[in-house]
Amino acid sequence: MKLLQAMPGLFSGKFKFRVKSETSRSILLYLVFVVISAMFWYFITLNKDVQQDVTFQFEITGIPKEVTMIDDAPSSINVTVRDKGSAFLKYSLFMTPKIKVKFSDFAESNSGYFKMNAVQLRNAVKKQLNREAIVVSLLPDDILLKFTNLPGKKVPIRPDWNIQTNFQYEVNGPLVLSQDSVMVYSDRETLAEINEVYTYHAEATDLTDTLRRDLTIAPIRGAKIEPRTVSLMVPVEQLIEKHKRINIAVRNTPPNVNFVIFPSSADVSYLVPKSMYKINRDDIKLIVDYNTINLSSKSNKAPVIISEYPGVYRNMELLTDSVEYIIENR
């Protein structure tokens, strides 16, 4: 009752709150009672036994430099704990519980395994809790990690990819990996069986620009691979149409025959990477082969053949597919 009598003073004292209506005053009184009730409930709860999940950080210390952990240790342990509510307030506000264990305490050099059974892990957790606390469950409830003190083995990477460009673009150059090999760590028997590693399948289609992508190395059971990812670079360029007049060479002419063609050159069109458009190279070969001529035919047309051209040129097309010829005996 005294509290109720003092309430008006809260709104008319030094804070100088001005309550303009009885409705506003009632709302403010209600909110004050809610806050006070919540505080009472909170303090009562802190003294009760509560069961709650707590995440403990997990760390293995003192790992020798010559040792490589093949299996990754869990970064955390999920622990279901029964304790006073105040203990959980401590975990959430003032500290993050952490379990640190020495490598040498649980490492078995003969077997090559780091082992913590359920009892050992539970005892390590209890050391971080109050004496009255009860550990209900752990996840994981034990730890088994493979390690090795053998040096790694360098093996090549076999990429698995399918790369396709848009029809107006071209892969102009080799596909490049950031490195061509990785280091593999394991026991002696496993290392002897590993001679290469593979990437997960990578696929890219309709490319219109240079591609850069990280590829993940497929894992090998019982082994650790470093690094686990490599970078792929696929150089892609736009193709531009180009026209060129090429001299025609004559082949397989008999020694007693004078074989004359006219015109002696033909126009070709093709798509070329943009960076090569202004470069003039003698890299396209056109021929007329005497052996392809049908001498019994009344036609004096000889077919023109594209015999050579670089693989980066696309849609190679002859604008003049035949020439006339004259045969004279010598």
Side-chain angles (χ1 to χ4, degrees), residues 51-133:
Q51 181 170 305
Q52 189 172 323
D53 289 340
V54 180
T55 299
F56 283 68
Q57 295 180 7
F58 183 80
E59 181 182 356
I60 301 174
T61 62
I63 300 176
K65 292 182 179 181
E66 66 273 12
V67 169
T68 300
M69 299 300 297
I70 296 172
D71 298 321
D72 294 328
S75 59
S76 61
I77 307 293
N78 191 44
V79 184
T80 302
V81 180
R82 184 179 296 119
D83 202 350
K84 298 293 184 183
S86 56
F88 295 105
L89 179 64
K90 177 181 66 176
Y91 298 143
S92 60
L93 295 181
F94 302 108
M95 62 173 288
T96 299
K98 189 171 187 177
I99 303 170
K100 287 187 177 183
V101 296
K102 291 183 179 180
F103 176 82
S104 58
D105 291 343
F106 302 98
E108 298 179 358
S109 299
N110 294 334
S111 66
Y113 281 94
F114 176 95
K115 297 180 180 180
M116 287 189 74
N117 59 36
V119 174
Q120 292 169 328
L121 186 56
R122 187 176 291 262
N123 289 338
V125 170
K126 284 183 177 180
K127 291 179 181 180
Q128 308 300 319
L129 301 173
N130 298 327
R131 291 183 178 180
E132 300 81 9

Coordinates of all heavy atoms in Angstrom, one line a residue, residues 51-133:
Q51 N 18.0 -26.9 -16.3 CA 18.7 -27.8 -17.3 C 18.8 -27.0 -18.6 O 17.8 -26.6 -19.2 CB 18.1 -29.1 -17.5 CG 18.8 -30.0 -18.5 CD 18.3 -31.4 -18.5 OE1 18.2 -32.1 -17.4 NE2 17.9 -31.9 -19.6
Q52 N 20.1 -26.9 -19.1 CA 20.3 -26.0 -20.3 C 21.5 -26.5 -21.1 O 22.4 -27.1 -20.5 CB 20.5 -24.6 -19.9 CG 20.5 -23.6 -21.0 CD 20.5 -22.1 -20.5 OE1 19.8 -21.9 -19.5 NE2 21.2 -21.3 -21.1
D53 N 21.5 -26.3 -22.4 CA 22.6 -26.6 -23.3 C 23.6 -25.5 -23.2 O 23.3 -24.3 -23.3 CB 22.2 -26.8 -24.7 CG 21.4 -28.1 -24.9 OD1 21.5 -29.0 -24.0 OD2 20.6 -28.2 -25.9
V54 N 24.9 -25.9 -23.0 CA 26.0 -24.9 -23.0 C 27.0 -25.3 -24.0 O 27.4 -26.5 -24.1 CB 26.6 -24.8 -21.6 CG1 27.8 -23.8 -21.6 CG2 25.6 -24.4 -20.6
T55 N 27.5 -24.4 -24.8 CA 28.5 -24.7 -25.8 C 29.9 -24.4 -25.3 O 30.2 -23.3 -24.9 CB 28.3 -23.9 -27.1 OG1 27.0 -24.3 -27.7 CG2 29.4 -24.3 -28.2
F56 N 30.7 -25.5 -25.2 CA 32.1 -25.3 -24.7 C 33.1 -25.3 -25.9 O 33.0 -26.2 -26.8 CB 32.5 -26.5 -23.8 CG 31.9 -26.5 -22.4 CD1 30.5 -26.6 -22.2 CD2 32.7 -26.3 -21.3 CE1 30.0 -26.6 -20.9 CE2 32.2 -26.2 -20.0 CZ 30.8 -26.4 -19.8
Q57 N 33.9 -24.3 -25.9 CA 35.0 -24.3 -26.9 C 36.0 -25.5 -26.6 O 36.2 -25.8 -25.4 CB 35.7 -23.0 -26.9 CG 34.9 -21.8 -27.4 CD 35.6 -20.5 -27.4 OE1 36.8 -20.5 -27.2 NE2 34.9 -19.4 -27.7
F58 N 36.5 -26.1 -27.6 CA 37.4 -27.2 -27.4 C 38.7 -26.9 -28.2 O 38.8 -26.5 -29.3 CB 36.8 -28.5 -28.0 CG 37.7 -29.7 -27.7 CD1 37.7 -30.3 -26.5 CD2 38.5 -30.2 -28.7 CE1 38.5 -31.4 -26.3 CE2 39.3 -31.3 -28.5 CZ 39.3 -32.0 -27.3
E59 N 39.9 -27.2 -27.5 CA 41.2 -26.9 -28.1 C 42.2 -27.9 -27.6 O 42.2 -28.3 -26.4 CB 41.7 -25.5 -27.7 CG 43.0 -25.1 -28.3 CD 43.5 -23.7 -27.8 OE1 42.7 -23.0 -27.1 OE2 44.6 -23.4 -28.2
I60 N 43.0 -28.4 -28.5 CA 44.1 -29.3 -28.2 C 45.4 -28.5 -28.2 O 45.7 -27.9 -29.2 CB 44.2 -30.5 -29.2 CG1 42.9 -31.3 -29.2 CG2 45.4 -31.4 -28.9 CD1 42.9 -32.4 -30.3
T61 N 46.1 -28.5 -27.2 CA 47.3 -27.7 -27.1 C 48.6 -28.6 -27.1 O 48.5 -29.8 -26.9 CB 47.3 -26.9 -25.8 OG1 47.3 -27.8 -24.6 CG2 46.1 -26.0 -25.7
G62 N 49.7 -28.0 -27.4 CA 51.0 -28.7 -27.3 C 51.2 -29.7 -28.4 O 51.9 -30.8 -28.3
I63 N 50.6 -29.5 -29.6 CA 50.8 -30.4 -30.7 C 52.2 -30.2 -31.3 O 52.5 -29.1 -31.7 CB 49.7 -30.2 -31.8 CG1 48.3 -30.4 -31.3 CG2 50.0 -31.1 -33.0 CD1 47.2 -30.1 -32.3
P64 N 53.0 -31.2 -31.3 CA 54.4 -31.0 -31.9 C 54.4 -30.6 -33.3 O 53.5 -30.9 -34.1 CB 55.0 -32.4 -31.7 CG 54.2 -33.1 -30.7 CD 52.8 -32.6 -30.8
K65 N 55.5 -29.8 -33.7 CA 55.5 -29.3 -35.1 C 55.6 -30.4 -36.1 O 55.1 -30.2 -37.2 CB 56.8 -28.4 -35.2 CG 56.7 -27.1 -34.4 CD 57.9 -26.3 -34.6 CE 57.8 -25.0 -33.8 NZ 59.0 -24.1 -34.0
E66 N 56.2 -31.5 -35.8 CA 56.3 -32.6 -36.7 C 55.0 -33.4 -36.9 O 55.0 -34.3 -37.8 CB 57.5 -33.6 -36.4 CG 57.3 -34.3 -35.1 CD 57.7 -33.6 -33.8 OE1 58.0 -32.4 -33.9 OE2 57.8 -34.2 -32.8
V67 N 54.0 -33.1 -36.1 CA 52.8 -33.9 -36.1 C 51.8 -33.2 -37.0 O 51.6 -31.9 -36.9 CB 52.2 -34.1 -34.7 CG1 50.8 -34.6 -34.8 CG2 53.1 -35.1 -33.9
T68 N 51.1 -33.9 -37.9 CA 50.0 -33.3 -38.7 C 48.7 -34.0 -38.3 O 48.6 -35.3 -38.3 CB 50.2 -33.6 -40.2 OG1 51.5 -32.9 -40.6 CG2 49.1 -33.0 -41.0
M69 N 47.7 -33.3 -37.9 CA 46.4 -33.8 -37.5 C 45.7 -34.1 -38.8 O 45.4 -33.2 -39.6 CB 45.6 -32.9 -36.7 CG 46.3 -32.5 -35.3 SD 46.5 -34.0 -34.3 CE 44.8 -34.5 -34.0
I70 N 45.4 -35.4 -39.1 CA 44.7 -35.8 -40.3 C 43.2 -35.5 -40.2 O 42.5 -35.0 -41.1 CB 44.9 -37.2 -40.6 CG1 46.4 -37.4 -40.9 CG2 44.1 -37.7 -41.8 CD1 46.8 -38.9 -41.1
D71 N 42.6 -35.8 -39.0 CA 41.2 -35.4 -38.7 C 41.2 -34.1 -38.0 O 42.0 -33.9 -37.1 CB 40.6 -36.5 -37.9 CG 40.5 -37.9 -38.6 OD1 40.3 -37.9 -39.8 OD2 40.7 -38.9 -38.0
D72 N 40.2 -33.3 -38.3 CA 40.0 -32.0 -37.6 C 39.4 -32.2 -36.2 O 38.3 -32.9 -36.2 CB 39.2 -31.0 -38.5 CG 40.0 -30.6 -39.7 OD1 41.2 -30.6 -39.7 OD2 39.3 -30.4 -40.7
A73 N 39.9 -31.6 -35.2 CA 39.3 -31.7 -33.9 C 38.0 -30.8 -33.9 O 37.9 -29.8 -34.6 CB 40.2 -31.2 -32.8
P74 N 37.0 -31.2 -33.1 CA 35.8 -30.4 -33.1 C 36.1 -29.0 -32.4 O 36.9 -29.0 -31.5 CB 34.8 -31.2 -32.2 CG 35.7 -32.1 -31.4 CD 36.9 -32.4 -32.3
S75 N 35.6 -28.0 -33.0 CA 35.8 -26.7 -32.4 C 35.0 -26.4 -31.1 O 35.4 -25.5 -30.3 CB 35.5 -25.6 -33.4 OG 34.1 -25.7 -33.8
S76 N 34.0 -27.2 -30.9 CA 33.2 -27.0 -29.7 C 32.5 -28.3 -29.3 O 32.4 -29.3 -30.1 CB 32.1 -26.0 -30.0 OG 31.2 -26.4 -31.0
I77 N 32.1 -28.4 -28.0 CA 31.4 -29.5 -27.5 C 30.1 -29.0 -26.9 O 30.0 -28.0 -26.2 CB 32.2 -30.2 -26.3 CG1 33.6 -30.6 -26.8 CG2 31.4 -31.4 -25.8 CD1 33.6 -31.6 -27.8
N78 N 29.0 -29.6 -27.3 CA 27.6 -29.2 -26.8 C 27.3 -30.0 -25.6 O 27.2 -31.3 -25.6 CB 26.6 -29.4 -27.9 CG 25.3 -28.8 -27.5 OD1 25.2 -27.7 -27.0 ND2 24.2 -29.5 -27.7
V79 N 27.2 -29.3 -24.4 CA 27.0 -30.0 -23.2 C 25.6 -29.6 -22.6 O 25.3 -28.4 -22.5 CB 28.1 -29.6 -22.2 CG1 28.0 -30.4 -20.9 CG2 29.5 -29.9 -22.8
T80 N 24.9 -30.6 -22.2 CA 23.6 -30.4 -21.5 C 23.9 -30.4 -20.0 O 24.4 -31.5 -19.5 CB 22.5 -31.4 -21.8 OG1 22.3 -31.4 -23.2 CG2 21.2 -31.1 -21.1
V81 N 23.7 -29.3 -19.3 CA 24.1 -29.2 -17.9 C 22.8 -28.9 -17.0 O 21.9 -28.1 -17.4 CB 25.1 -28.0 -17.7 CG1 25.5 -27.9 -16.3 CG2 26.3 -28.3 -18.6
R82 N 22.8 -29.5 -15.8 CA 21.8 -29.1 -14.8 C 22.5 -28.4 -13.7 O 23.4 -28.9 -13.1 CB 21.1 -30.4 -14.3 CG 19.9 -30.0 -13.3 CD 19.2 -31.2 -12.8 NE 18.5 -31.9 -13.9 CZ 18.8 -33.2 -14.2 NH1 19.7 -33.9 -13.6 NH2 18.2 -33.8 -15.2
D83 N 22.1 -27.1 -13.4 CA 22.8 -26.3 -12.4 C 21.8 -25.2 -12.0 O 20.7 -25.0 -12.6 CB 24.1 -25.7 -13.0 CG 25.1 -25.3 -11.9 OD1 24.7 -25.3 -10.7 OD2 26.2 -25.0 -12.3
K84 N 22.3 -24.4 -11.1 CA 21.5 -23.2 -10.6 C 21.4 -22.2 -11.8 O 22.4 -22.1 -12.6 CB 22.2 -22.5 -9.4 CG 22.2 -23.4 -8.2 CD 20.9 -23.7 -7.6 CE 21.0 -24.5 -6.3 NZ 19.6 -24.8 -5.8
G85 N 20.3 -21.5 -11.8 CA 20.1 -20.5 -12.9 C 21.2 -19.5 -12.9 O 21.6 -19.0 -14.0
S86 N 21.8 -19.1 -11.7 CA 22.8 -18.1 -11.7 C 24.1 -18.6 -12.4 O 24.8 -17.7 -12.9 CB 23.2 -17.8 -10.2 OG 23.5 -19.0 -9.5
A87 N 24.3 -19.9 -12.4 CA 25.5 -20.4 -13.1 C 25.4 -20.1 -14.6 O 26.4 -19.8 -15.3 CB 25.7 -21.9 -12.9
F88 N 24.2 -20.3 -15.2 CA 24.0 -20.1 -16.6 C 24.1 -18.6 -17.0 O 24.5 -18.2 -18.1 CB 22.7 -20.6 -17.1 CG 22.6 -22.1 -17.0 CD1 21.9 -22.7 -15.9 CD2 23.3 -23.0 -17.8 CE1 21.8 -24.1 -15.8 CE2 23.2 -24.3 -17.7 CZ 22.5 -24.9 -16.7
L89 N 23.8 -17.7 -16.0 CA 23.9 -16.3 -16.2 C 25.4 -16.0 -16.3 O 25.8 -15.2 -17.2 CB 23.3 -15.5 -15.0 CG 23.5 -14.0 -15.1 CD1 22.7 -13.5 -16.3 CD2 23.0 -13.4 -13.8
K90 N 26.3 -16.7 -15.5 CA 27.7 -16.5 -15.6 C 28.2 -16.9 -17.0 O 29.1 -16.2 -17.6 CB 28.4 -17.3 -14.5 CG 29.9 -17.2 -14.5 CD 30.5 -18.1 -13.4 CE 30.2 -19.6 -13.7 NZ 30.9 -20.4 -12.6
Y91 N 27.8 -18.0 -17.5 CA 28.3 -18.5 -18.8 C 27.9 -17.6 -19.9 O 28.6 -17.3 -20.8 CB 27.7 -19.9 -19.1 CG 28.1 -21.0 -18.1 CD1 27.2 -22.0 -17.7 CD2 29.3 -21.0 -17.5 CE1 27.5 -22.9 -16.8 CE2 29.7 -21.9 -16.6 CZ 28.8 -22.9 -16.2 OH 29.1 -23.9 -15.3
S92 N 26.7 -17.0 -19.8 CA 26.2 -16.2 -20.9 C 26.7 -14.7 -20.9 O 26.9 -14.1 -21.9 CB 24.7 -16.1 -20.9 OG 24.2 -15.6 -19.7
L93 N 27.0 -14.2 -19.7 CA 27.4 -12.8 -19.6 C 28.9 -12.6 -19.3 O 29.5 -11.7 -19.8 CB 26.6 -12.2 -18.4 CG 25.1 -12.1 -18.6 CD1 24.5 -11.3 -17.5 CD2 24.8 -11.3 -19.9
F94 N 29.6 -13.5 -18.5 CA 30.9 -13.2 -18.1 C 32.0 -14.1 -18.6 O 33.2 -13.7 -18.6 CB 30.9 -13.3 -16.5 CG 29.9 -12.4 -15.9 CD1 28.8 -12.9 -15.3 CD2 30.1 -11.0 -15.9 CE1 27.9 -12.0 -14.6 CE2 29.2 -10.2 -15.3 CZ 28.1 -10.7 -14.7
M95 N 31.7 -15.2 -19.1 CA 32.7 -16.1 -19.6 C 32.2 -17.1 -20.7 O 31.0 -17.4 -20.6 CB 33.3 -16.9 -18.5 CG 32.4 -17.8 -17.7 SD 33.1 -18.9 -16.5 CE 34.0 -20.0 -17.6
T96 N 33.0 -17.5 -21.6 CA 32.7 -18.6 -22.5 C 33.5 -19.8 -22.1 O 34.7 -19.8 -22.1 CB 33.1 -18.2 -23.9 OG1 32.4 -17.0 -24.3 CG2 32.8 -19.3 -24.9
P97 N 32.8 -20.8 -21.6 CA 33.5 -22.0 -21.1 C 34.4 -22.6 -22.2 O 34.0 -22.7 -23.4 CB 32.4 -23.0 -20.7 CG 31.2 -22.5 -21.4 CD 31.3 -21.0 -21.6
K98 N 35.6 -23.1 -21.8 CA 36.5 -23.6 -22.8 C 37.3 -24.8 -22.2 O 37.7 -24.8 -21.0 CB 37.6 -22.5 -23.1 CG 38.5 -22.9 -24.3 CD 39.3 -21.7 -24.7 CE 40.1 -21.9 -26.0 NZ 40.8 -20.7 -26.5
I99 N 37.4 -25.8 -23.0 CA 38.1 -27.0 -22.6 C 39.4 -27.1 -23.3 O 39.5 -27.1 -24.6 CB 37.3 -28.3 -22.9 CG1 35.9 -28.3 -22.3 CG2 38.0 -29.6 -22.5 CD1 35.0 -29.3 -22.8
K100 N 40.5 -27.1 -22.6 CA 41.9 -27.2 -23.2 C 42.5 -28.5 -22.7 O 42.5 -28.8 -21.5 CB 42.8 -26.1 -22.8 CG 42.4 -24.7 -23.5 CD 43.5 -23.7 -23.1 CE 43.2 -22.4 -23.8 NZ 44.3 -21.4 -23.6
V101 N 42.9 -29.4 -23.6 CA 43.6 -30.6 -23.3 C 44.9 -30.7 -24.0 O 45.1 -30.2 -25.1 CB 42.7 -31.8 -23.7 CG1 41.4 -31.8 -22.9 CG2 42.4 -31.9 -25.2
K102 N 45.9 -31.4 -23.3 CA 47.2 -31.5 -23.9 C 47.2 -32.7 -24.8 O 46.7 -33.8 -24.6 CB 48.2 -31.8 -22.7 CG 48.5 -30.5 -21.9 CD 49.5 -30.8 -20.8 CE 49.8 -29.6 -20.0 NZ 50.8 -29.9 -18.9
F103 N 47.9 -32.5 -26.0 CA 48.0 -33.5 -27.0 C 48.7 -34.8 -26.4 O 48.3 -35.9 -26.6 CB 48.8 -33.0 -28.2 CG 49.1 -34.0 -29.2 CD1 48.2 -34.3 -30.2 CD2 50.3 -34.6 -29.3 CE1 48.4 -35.2 -31.2 CE2 50.6 -35.6 -30.3 CZ 49.7 -35.9 -31.2
S104 N 49.8 -34.6 -25.6 CA 50.5 -35.7 -25.1 C 49.8 -36.5 -24.1 O 50.1 -37.7 -23.9 CB 51.8 -35.2 -24.4 OG 51.5 -34.2 -23.4
D105 N 48.7 -36.0 -23.5 CA 47.9 -36.8 -22.5 C 47.0 -37.8 -23.2 O 46.6 -38.8 -22.5 CB 47.1 -35.8 -21.7 CG 47.9 -35.0 -20.7 OD1 49.1 -35.3 -20.5 OD2 47.4 -33.9 -20.2
F106 N 46.7 -37.6 -24.4 CA 45.7 -38.5 -25.1 C 46.2 -39.1 -26.4 O 45.5 -39.8 -27.1 CB 44.4 -37.8 -25.3 CG 43.8 -37.3 -24.0 CD1 44.0 -36.0 -23.6 CD2 43.1 -38.1 -23.1 CE1 43.4 -35.5 -22.4 CE2 42.6 -37.6 -21.9 CZ 42.7 -36.3 -21.6
A107 N 47.4 -38.8 -26.8 CA 48.0 -39.2 -28.1 C 48.6 -40.6 -27.9 O 49.4 -40.8 -27.0 CB 49.0 -38.2 -28.7
E108 N 48.3 -41.5 -28.8 CA 48.9 -42.9 -28.8 C 49.8 -43.0 -30.1 O 49.3 -43.1 -31.2 CB 47.9 -43.9 -28.9 CG 47.0 -43.9 -27.6 CD 45.9 -45.0 -27.7 OE1 45.8 -45.7 -28.7 OE2 45.1 -45.1 -26.7
S109 N 51.1 -42.9 -29.9 CA 52.0 -42.8 -31.0 C 52.0 -44.1 -31.8 O 52.2 -44.2 -33.0 CB 53.5 -42.6 -30.5 OG 53.5 -41.3 -29.9
N110 N 51.8 -45.3 -31.1 CA 51.8 -46.6 -31.8 C 50.7 -46.7 -32.8 O 50.8 -47.2 -33.9 CB 51.8 -47.7 -30.8 CG 53.0 -47.8 -29.9 OD1 54.1 -47.3 -30.4 ND2 52.9 -48.3 -28.7
S111 N 49.5 -46.3 -32.4 CA 48.3 -46.4 -33.2 C 48.1 -45.2 -34.1 O 47.4 -45.3 -35.2 CB 47.1 -46.6 -32.4 OG 46.8 -45.4 -31.6
G112 N 48.7 -44.0 -33.8 CA 48.5 -42.8 -34.6 C 47.2 -42.2 -34.4 O 46.7 -41.5 -35.3
Y113 N 46.6 -42.4 -33.1 CA 45.3 -41.8 -32.9 C 45.4 -41.0 -31.6 O 46.0 -41.4 -30.6 CB 44.2 -42.9 -32.7 CG 43.7 -43.4 -34.1 CD1 44.3 -44.5 -34.6 CD2 42.7 -42.7 -34.7 CE1 43.9 -44.9 -35.9 CE2 42.3 -43.1 -36.0 CZ 42.8 -44.3 -36.5 OH 42.4 -44.7 -37.8
F114 N 44.6 -39.9 -31.5 CA 44.4 -39.1 -30.3 C 43.0 -39.6 -29.8 O 42.0 -39.4 -30.5 CB 44.3 -37.6 -30.7 CG 44.0 -36.7 -29.5 CD1 44.9 -36.1 -28.8 CD2 42.6 -36.4 -29.3 CE1 44.6 -35.3 -27.7 CE2 42.3 -35.6 -28.2 CZ 43.2 -35.0 -27.5
K115 N 42.9 -40.1 -28.6 CA 41.7 -40.7 -28.1 C 41.3 -40.1 -26.8 O 42.1 -40.0 -25.8 CB 41.9 -42.2 -27.9 CG 42.2 -43.0 -29.2 CD 42.4 -44.5 -28.8 CE 42.6 -45.3 -30.1 NZ 42.8 -46.7 -29.8
M116 N 40.0 -39.6 -26.7 CA 39.4 -39.2 -25.4 C 38.1 -40.0 -25.4 O 37.2 -39.7 -26.2 CB 39.1 -37.7 -25.4 CG 40.4 -36.9 -25.2 SD 40.0 -35.1 -24.8 CE 39.3 -35.2 -23.2
N117 N 38.0 -40.9 -24.4 CA 36.7 -41.6 -24.3 C 35.7 -40.8 -23.5 O 36.0 -39.6 -23.1 CB 36.9 -43.0 -23.6 CG 37.5 -42.9 -22.2 OD1 37.2 -41.9 -21.5 ND2 38.4 -43.8 -21.9
A118 N 34.5 -41.3 -23.4 CA 33.4 -40.5 -22.8 C 33.7 -40.1 -21.4 O 33.4 -39.0 -21.0 CB 32.1 -41.4 -22.8
V119 N 34.3 -41.0 -20.6 CA 34.6 -40.6 -19.2 C 35.7 -39.5 -19.1 O 35.5 -38.5 -18.4 CB 35.1 -41.9 -18.4 CG1 35.6 -41.5 -17.0 CG2 34.0 -42.9 -18.4
Q120 N 36.7 -39.6 -20.0 CA 37.7 -38.6 -20.0 C 37.2 -37.2 -20.4 O 37.6 -36.2 -19.9 CB 38.9 -39.0 -20.9 CG 39.6 -40.2 -20.4 CD 40.6 -40.8 -21.4 OE1 40.3 -40.8 -22.6 NE2 41.7 -41.4 -20.9
L121 N 36.4 -37.2 -21.4 CA 35.8 -36.0 -21.9 C 34.8 -35.4 -20.9 O 34.8 -34.2 -20.7 CB 35.1 -36.2 -23.2 CG 34.5 -35.0 -24.0 CD1 35.7 -34.0 -24.2 CD2 33.9 -35.4 -25.3
R122 N 34.1 -36.2 -20.2 CA 33.1 -35.7 -19.2 C 33.9 -35.1 -18.0 O 33.5 -34.1 -17.5 CB 32.2 -36.9 -18.7 CG 31.1 -36.5 -17.8 CD 30.3 -37.7 -17.5 NE 29.5 -38.1 -18.6 CZ 28.2 -37.8 -18.9 NH1 27.6 -37.1 -18.0 NH2 27.6 -38.2 -19.9
N123 N 35.0 -35.8 -17.6 CA 35.8 -35.2 -16.5 C 36.4 -33.8 -16.9 O 36.5 -32.9 -16.1 CB 36.9 -36.2 -16.2 CG 36.4 -37.4 -15.5 OD1 35.3 -37.4 -14.9 ND2 37.1 -38.5 -15.5
A124 N 36.8 -33.7 -18.2 CA 37.4 -32.4 -18.6 C 36.3 -31.3 -18.6 O 36.6 -30.2 -18.3 CB 38.0 -32.6 -20.1
V125 N 35.1 -31.7 -18.9 CA 34.0 -30.7 -18.8 C 33.7 -30.3 -17.4 O 33.5 -29.2 -17.1 CB 32.7 -31.3 -19.5 CG1 31.5 -30.4 -19.3 CG2 33.0 -31.5 -21.0
K126 N 33.7 -31.3 -16.5 CA 33.3 -31.1 -15.1 C 34.3 -30.1 -14.5 O 33.9 -29.3 -13.6 CB 33.3 -32.4 -14.3 CG 32.1 -33.2 -14.6 CD 32.1 -34.5 -13.7 CE 30.8 -35.3 -13.9 NZ 30.8 -36.5 -13.1
K127 N 35.5 -30.1 -14.9 CA 36.5 -29.2 -14.3 C 36.2 -27.7 -14.6 O 36.6 -26.8 -13.9 CB 37.9 -29.5 -14.9 CG 38.5 -30.8 -14.4 CD 39.9 -31.0 -15.0 CE 40.4 -32.3 -14.6 NZ 41.8 -32.6 -15.2
Q128 N 35.3 -27.5 -15.6 CA 34.9 -26.1 -15.9 C 33.6 -25.7 -15.3 O 33.2 -24.5 -15.5 CB 34.8 -26.0 -17.5 CG 36.1 -26.4 -18.2 CD 37.3 -25.7 -17.9 OE1 37.3 -24.5 -17.7 NE2 38.4 -26.4 -17.7
L129 N 33.0 -26.6 -14.6 CA 31.7 -26.3 -14.0 C 31.7 -26.2 -12.5 O 32.7 -26.5 -11.8 CB 30.7 -27.5 -14.4 CG 30.5 -27.7 -15.8 CD1 29.6 -29.0 -16.0 CD2 29.8 -26.5 -16.5
N130 N 30.6 -25.7 -11.9 CA 30.5 -25.7 -10.4 C 30.5 -27.2 -9.9 O 30.1 -28.1 -10.6 CB 29.3 -25.0 -10.0 CG 29.3 -23.5 -10.5 OD1 30.3 -22.9 -10.5 ND2 28.1 -23.0 -10.8
R131 N 30.8 -27.3 -8.6 CA 30.8 -28.6 -8.0 C 29.4 -29.3 -8.0 O 29.2 -30.5 -8.2 CB 31.3 -28.6 -6.6 CG 32.8 -28.2 -6.5 CD 33.3 -28.3 -5.0 NE 34.7 -28.0 -4.9 CZ 35.4 -28.0 -3.8 NH1 34.7 -28.2 -2.6 NH2 36.6 -27.7 -3.8
E132 N 28.4 -28.4 -7.9 CA 27.0 -28.9 -7.8 C 26.4 -29.2 -9.2 O 25.4 -29.9 -9.3 CB 26.1 -27.9 -7.2 CG 26.5 -27.5 -5.7 CD 27.6 -26.5 -5.7 OE1 28.0 -26.0 -6.8 OE2 28.2 -26.3 -4.6
A133 N 27.1 -28.8 -10.2 CA 26.6 -29.0 -11.6 C 26.6 -30.5 -12.0 O 27.5 -31.3 -11.6 CB 27.4 -28.2 -12.6

